[in-house]
Amino acid sequence: MVPRANPSIAWARLPDGAVLFSPHSEVYYAMNQVGALIWEMLPQDGLNVEALCRAIHERFPDESFEQIRSDAEELLDELARNDLVSDIQPAALA
């Protein structure tokens, strides 16, 4: 399973991505369109990395599935390091 978006995070969709803000840590985090799409999908129950990457690949078919998976895993790790998500299960990313 993928992590859940931390409910305390404020975020805004922008034309070219999104920006997140953690009031607890005062961290601002900017992301591109793919990152924003991932963020929007995080609240979905039962979402796994494979389904997440398939959905992204449908929106961005010119990118290889392998690259999308690598980028998604890197983003999820970075979001976890910045406490922007919770309940991450690293074993599910492998």
Side-chain angles (χ1 to χ4, degrees), residues 1-15:
M1 306 310 291
V2 295
R4 305 281 295 179
N6 186 328
S8 69
I9 303 302
W11 74 284
R13 187 74 141 111
L14 303 172

Side-chain angles (χ1 to χ4, degrees), residues 6-27:
N6 186 328
S8 69
I9 303 302
W11 74 284
R13 187 74 141 111
L14 303 172
D16 59 348
V19 64
L20 312 176
F21 173 69
S22 170
H24 175 70
S25 64
E26 298 184 358
V27 167

Side-chain angles (χ1 to χ4, degrees), residues 4-53:
R4 305 281 295 179
N6 186 328
S8 69
I9 303 302
W11 74 284
R13 187 74 141 111
L14 303 172
D16 59 348
V19 64
L20 312 176
F21 173 69
S22 170
H24 175 70
S25 64
E26 298 184 358
V27 167
Y28 281 95
Y29 191 88
M31 54 181 57
N32 63 18
Q33 291 180 349
V34 175
L37 179 59
I38 290 172
W39 180 260
E40 290 172 342
M41 294 176 70
L42 291 184
Q44 295 180 17
D45 289 333
L47 183 67
N48 62 34
V49 173
E50 188 73 18
L52 176 88
C53 293

